[in-house]
Amino acid sequence: MPELPEVETVLRGLAPSMEGAVITRAAVNRPDLRWPFPEGMAGRLTGKRVLQMRRRSKYILADLDSGETLLIHLGMSGRMTVSGDPLGRFVHSHPAAEKHDHVVLDIDNGARVTFNDPRRFGAMDLLPTVGAEAHPLLAQIGPEPLGNSFDGPYLADRLKTRRSPIKTALLDQHVVAGLGNIYVCETLYRARISPARRCDRIATSRLIALAPIIRQVLLDAIEAGGSSLKDFRQASGELGYFQHSFDVYGREGEPCRSEGCDATIRRLVQSGRSSFYCPQCQR
Ligand SMILES: [Zn+2]
């Protein structure tokens, strides 16, 4: 499931082909994904220029010159591919249509952007650009972890009285936007905090120190995603899923990588999701 760094990588992959360009043709091949597409979506996209592309949490937003914003959510298994881009970033010719190509956008620069989603947990919507942040999907989301309103004092203030495990609290999208299972595990490992520890039993200074660690974990992953974009001439043109090595995530039973630690990584199930951690380094 894509988390913030994967979505940011998709955004950075799409932007050179879409920003400033006109959608010349929009094919919408089924009535819905997770939710029904907005009425007349193909017509509302056709002929529109993309003014700006941006991200809010795990949503990609494309502001159009019609005053509407196209919202894209990848869901569990959504994939975006770019083909035929004459800018030279993606040299693949347009592939044959695949079974789950639900939305295909042709761009006036020759690029084709395809949204493929076999499990259909993804979503697309059109909303007025003015007030887009008030959309029900976006209104309740907490601050962007890479933005200015997210810092140590804010995070400590939100967490210090909570009785839930820190792992659960960091997955709460009201607290901070876009963090998922993988990057919360990685963050807590770097912060040396046990995923099971209750928020209200963690020293405030450690909660404050968590914010810059979250940023760095995400920035490292975005950098890995950026490197993957450079390889696209050889790749399929598919955006967003990149090779990235994790310190704890998915490493149950393997040795801890911290210097001087001889413990092995353990797995713990919390709220139905696996937490990976080092029992020696994380307290
Ligand atoms: Zn360790």
Side-chain angles (χ1 to χ4, degrees):
M1 186 173 191
E3 296 189 26
L4 188 154
E6 287 78 18
V7 177
E8 180 67 27
T9 302
V10 172
L11 172 66
R12 291 181 185 190
L14 291 177
S17 302
M18 292 183 72
E19 231 168 25
V22 173
I23 299 168
T24 52
R25 175 179 159 272
V28 179
N29 298 328
R30 54 173 298 117
D32 58 8
L33 289 174
R34 184 168 187 171
W35 298 293
F37 287 123
E39 210 171 311
M41 185 168 88
R44 286 156 74 182
L45 292 172
T46 303
K48 305 305 183 296
R49 186 177 297 278
V50 179
L51 300 177
Q52 188 194 187
M53 297 196 62
R54 55 203 171 99
R55 180 186 57 73
R56 175 73 173 110
S57 185
K58 291 187 268 186
Y59 298 93
I60 291 170
L61 302 172
D63 298 333
L64 309 174
D65 65 355
S66 57
E68 292 195 296
T69 291
L70 173 66
L71 174 148
I72 304 169
H73 186 58
L74 300 172
M76 309 274 285
S77 57
R79 295 184 294 126
M80 309 272 328
T81 55
V82 178
S83 55
D85 172 7
L87 302 174
R89 204 159 172 193
F90 304 93
V91 295
H92 331 285
S93 52
H94 299 318
E98 285 183 43
K99 189 177 175 195
H100 302 289
D101 288 351
H102 303 310
V103 177
V104 180
L105 304 177
D106 282 339
I107 314 295
D108 66 347
N109 55 24
R112 173 174 291 173
V113 172
T114 301
F115 186 73
N116 180 293
D117 186 3
R119 295 176 67 187
R120 302 203 303 267
F121 282 105
M124 280 197 190
D125 202 355
L126 281 164
L127 40 142
T129 303
V130 175
E133 289 72 21
H135 188 278
L137 289 171
L138 306 179
Q140 302 299 321
I141 298 175
E144 287 293 321
L146 302 176
N148 293 331
S149 54
F150 181 79
D151 60 16
Y154 160 83
L155 189 62
D157 197 54
R158 290 299 303 262
L159 297 180
K160 66 188 179 193
T161 56
R162 287 175 77 124
R163 300 160 70 98
S164 62
I166 183 72
K167 168 83 187 298
T168 313
L170 290 177
L171 287 173
D172 181 349
Q173 301 297 300
H174 300 95
V175 172
V176 53
L179 279 190
N181 201 34
I182 294 174
Y183 296 107
V184 169
C185 288
E186 296 294 299
T187 294
L188 291 174
Y189 175 71
R190 282 199 206 178
R192 303 175 74 89
I193 298 173
S194 163
R197 182 165 285 275
R198 268 173 53 166
C199 296
D200 60 354
R201 294 184 179 163
I202 301 172
T204 303
S205 60
R206 298 183 81 197
L207 293 176
I208 289 173
L210 258 181
I213 295 172
I214 290 171
R215 277 183 201 263
Q216 199 54 53
V217 164
L218 295 174
L219 288 172
D220 289 350
I222 288 169
E223 198 184 318
S227 315
S228 78
L229 285 179
K230 290 182 194 140
D231 297 333
F232 266 170
R233 283 164 194 269
Q234 287 80 38
S236 62
E238 179 182 332
L239 301 171
Y241 298 89
F242 46 87
Q243 289 295 316
H244 186 37
S245 72
F246 301 114
D247 285 333
V248 277
Y249 185 81
R251 297 192 62 241
E252 183 185 14
E254 293 177 40
C256 174
R257 288 178 179 161
S258 290
E259 214 174 300
C261 177
D262 56 6
T264 53
I265 301 305
R266 285 196 196 155
R267 187 171 69 94
L268 164 78
V269 177
Q270 292 177 284
S271 317
R273 291 196 252 193
S274 292
S275 298
F276 297 90
Y277 69 104
C278 173
Q280 200 157 298
C281 295
Q282 294 175 253
R283 298 299 170 112

